Amino acid sequence: MLETPPLSYRINRILRGSIPFWLTFLLALISVVPLRIDGFAIVTPSLVSIAVFYWSLHRPYLMPAPVVFVLGIISDILTGVPLGLSSLMLLIIHAIAVSQRHIFVGKAFVMSWWGYFLVATGIALLSWMIACLYSLTLIPILPVLVQLILTILVFPLFAWCFGVVQFSLLRSV
Amino acid sequence: MALRQETAWKLAFPLKVIFQRFAFLTLICLSIALLVLGKADLVLMERVRTISTDALSPVLGTLSQPVDAINKGIERVQELASLVEENERLRRENERLQRWQTVSRALDQENEYYRRLLNALTDPLVLPISARVVGDSGGPFVRTLLLGAGSRDGIRVGQAVVGPQGLVGRIAETGENSARVLLLTDLNSRIPVVLEKSRHKGILVGDNSASPTLEYLPNNAQVSAGDRVVTSGDGAMLPAGRPIGIVSSVSDGQIRIQTFADWARLEYVSVLRYDLPGLTDRATNPGDLGESKLGD
């Protein structure tokens, strides 16, 4: 029988463990803050999807499916898109990341960048199709592609930041 | 004992995996169900949205403040560079506007006189509510803004939202202290408009591109690039004569409008409370001073 760890230890663990969630939540908020750059609001990189992809790869138990779902709902509410669209997309990203972990974890960074490129492209096209179906019109696809390219370009920066967090605050979690 | 525990683990592990798979599939189904339900415009869904935006809008307001400050700083520096030319330009513009003012004063008087002669009814008072833009649509699928003011401040669904240059959109959702604006470029936006000169009426249809199209004009309408487009006031939701933009291109039946609104620099917008006696319900769209803080 193991001795139950003291309360402070457990609180510390819980707080540290919730870091991926809070980070992603913060990114969801940041992506709707008006930067007042012409046309940028439309093509704001999808930072939440980067975070979900990264943490699903590196700490899947801190980014389980229900948390992904909640984050998706939050970003849906914030951006004003049909409720459920982002959560569906993020869940698919999560599922792919978790099931293909062995390909990416421990390999060169370029591998996960490439993986994210493939996943994000598929997701962008899928979400575009669903949005078109939802509104029964052809939505211009160019902004979707520009957003995709921007998201892929900023991926290394955010992945690096998450890496720093992972190896400092989440080393033992 | 140890053996039994081991077999329990062996049993429990696949169970856990099965449970996780099940939870995952349930969540996927739930997302799809939400999408379908959202299409049905349920009141409950609307409530969930507004309550959550209410909770998040103060956070967004705080987050957007430093961004605003930085932007203002940058703007200041840029302005410093062109201070002299800007001053010269403004002086000339001021002269021009002062001449205009004299003309418009005379016209105003004349109008007022004719109105009295004809005993014509004037439009009711339009009361603007200024609200801060705390969020924009961070994505390619919708064109919306989030305001840091809501029904507590007198904002109601359907009211017009104008920026410094012209109409921006309409209120689509309201919470206690937050409201969502459907921009006129959004693909769900339909605004009754009129060509200022020829007085032909049409509907301004957004399509998620930067320049909405003008549709349902009468067949004989003459439109050319440069014509001004203003709100027509049809439907009694928006005040008439508010500037929207100019016709930018006319090509094979498609008329595109260049809006006056500067989408990148919307910091504060005015929500117009507008009440046509007998046509709008006072309870849902109050245009009187009673509810506003201005009346105090």
Side-chain angles (χ1 to χ4, degrees):
Chain A
M1 187 70 187
L2 276 167
E3 208 178 310
T4 45
L7 189 67
S8 59
Y9 174 79
R10 272 184 291 167
I11 288 177
N12 185 6
R13 239 183 115 78
I14 288 170
L15 284 181
R16 278 168 190 254
S18 66
I19 285 174
F21 170 79
W22 290 114
L23 263 181
T24 318
F25 177 67
L26 189 70
L27 288 178
L29 284 174
I30 285 174
S31 52
V32 296
V33 165
L35 290 180
R36 314 205 200 286
I37 301 169
D38 203 5
F40 189 73
I42 300 163
V43 294
T44 312
S46 165
L47 304 178
V48 177
S49 83
I50 295 178
V52 166
F53 183 79
Y54 185 91
W55 293 116
S56 300
L57 273 187
H58 294 97
R59 288 288 187 275
Y61 48 92
L62 297 181
M63 187 57 81
V67 169
V68 174
F69 177 76
V70 169
L71 285 166
I73 292 291
I74 291 171
S75 56
D76 280 338
I77 287 168
L78 282 170
T79 55
V81 299
L83 215 57
L85 183 63
S86 309
S87 43
L88 185 61
M89 295 304 126
L90 292 179
L91 279 171
I92 295 173
I93 292 177
H94 169 77
I96 295 173
V98 168
S99 62
Q100 306 301 318
R101 276 192 75 204
H102 55 279
I103 302 180
F104 300 116
V105 174
K107 302 280 168 57
F109 170 73
V110 177
M111 269 304 277
S112 24
W113 199 2
W114 173 242
Y116 182 76
F117 171 75
L118 293 180
V119 173
T121 310
I123 288 296
L125 293 177
L126 185 62
S127 61
W128 176 73
M129 280 195 290
I130 290 178
C132 282
L133 206 66
Y134 190 86
S135 51
L136 294 176
T137 42
L138 223 55
I139 297 172
I141 197 168
L142 188 68
V144 183
L145 295 179
V146 176
Q147 183 195 34
L148 171 69
I149 292 165
L150 281 180
T151 312
I152 290 166
L153 286 180
V154 298
F155 179 79
L157 175 70
F158 283 90
W160 178 78
C161 295
F162 294 149
V164 170
V165 172
Q166 187 192 340
F167 289 110
S168 54
L169 294 168
L170 298 177
R171 183 179 283 275
S172 61
V173 182
Chain B
M1 190 66 192
L3 191 80
R4 207 183 274 169
Q5 210 162 25
E6 209 166 275
T7 45
W9 265 112
K10 265 185 193 160
L11 263 176
F13 186 66
L15 263 180
K16 200 182 165 199
V17 171
I18 287 168
F19 177 75
Q20 275 175 351
R21 290 263 160 85
F22 178 73
F24 176 74
L25 283 178
T26 314
L27 289 170
I28 288 267
C29 291
L30 197 59
S31 306
I32 295 170
L34 279 175
L35 268 171
V36 175
L37 284 176
K39 192 76 187 156
D41 272 340
L42 288 185
V43 182
L44 179 75
M45 300 275 283
E46 183 107 11
R47 288 294 299 157
V48 172
R49 281 196 101 108
T50 53
I51 290 171
S52 331
T53 39
D54 268 357
L56 292 172
S57 92
V59 186
L60 278 176
T62 319
L63 273 178
S64 65
Q65 242 146 17
V67 178
D68 282 352
I70 291 170
N71 272 322
K72 271 214 186 99
I74 293 172
E75 226 165 75
R76 270 287 151 78
V77 174
Q78 282 173 344
E79 276 167 6
L80 273 179
S82 59
L83 212 57
V84 180
E85 294 106 80
E86 185 73 1
N87 206 1
E88 185 58 30
R89 194 183 67 76
L90 286 176
R91 190 171 298 145
R92 259 180 282 134
E93 189 172 281
N94 196 21
E95 276 167 22
R96 201 163 53 79
L97 288 178
Q98 253 161 7
R99 279 199 292 277
W100 259 105
Q101 199 187 29
T102 341
V103 176
S104 73
R105 275 223 182 105
L107 285 175
D108 201 37
Q109 295 262 310
E110 200 176 88
N111 243 334
E112 186 60 29
Y113 175 68
Y114 287 146
R115 276 228 177 86
R116 251 184 293 147
L117 268 184
L118 292 169
N119 198 16
L121 287 173
T122 47
D123 265 2
L125 174 75
V126 174
L127 184 71
I129 306 162
S130 297
R132 216 165 89 86
V133 177
V134 295
D136 57 24
S137 47
F141 299 123
V142 287
R143 302 285 182 273
T144 60
L145 292 178
L146 211 56
L147 303 184
S151 57
R152 203 183 49 189
D153 310 288
I155 294 178
R156 299 288 182 272
V157 171
Q159 287 169 340
V161 181
V162 294
Q165 284 93 0
L167 193 78
V168 169
R170 294 171 64 169
I171 298 288
E173 280 171 13
T174 52
E176 267 291 296
N177 52 21
S178 68
R180 192 174 288 283
V181 183
L182 189 74
L183 298 180
L184 42 87
T185 48
D186 189 278
L187 101 156
N188 288 309
S189 164
R190 303 286 183 275
I191 310 261
V193 295
V194 62
L195 288 164
E196 198 177 48
K197 226 175 217 150
S198 64
R199 309 310 291 179
H200 285 302
K201 283 180 178 177
I203 301 281
L204 190 69
V205 178
D207 58 356
N208 272 11
S209 71
S211 45
T213 61
L214 185 55
E215 287 177 21
Y216 307 111
L217 276 178
N219 286 333
N220 58 350
Q222 289 285 319
V223 194
S224 48
D227 285 357
R228 272 171 66 94
V229 177
V230 299
T231 53
S232 71
D234 282 4
M237 288 303 276
L238 312 178
R242 295 281 166 167
I244 292 181
I246 54 170
V247 174
S248 62
S249 71
V250 184
S251 57
D252 45 74
Q254 205 175 44
I255 305 163
R256 295 236 164 232
I257 307 296
Q258 172 75 50
T259 56
F260 289 137
D262 184 359
W263 304 112
R265 289 165 38 148
L266 289 172
E267 202 173 325
Y268 283 91
V269 292
S270 299
V271 183
L272 302 180
R273 305 200 327 176
Y274 182 63
D275 186 36
L276 268 186
L279 275 177
T280 44
D281 182 8
R282 233 158 223 282
T284 55
N285 191 20
D288 61 345
L289 288 158
E291 200 185 332
S292 96
K293 286 157 197 151
L294 284 175
D296 298 343

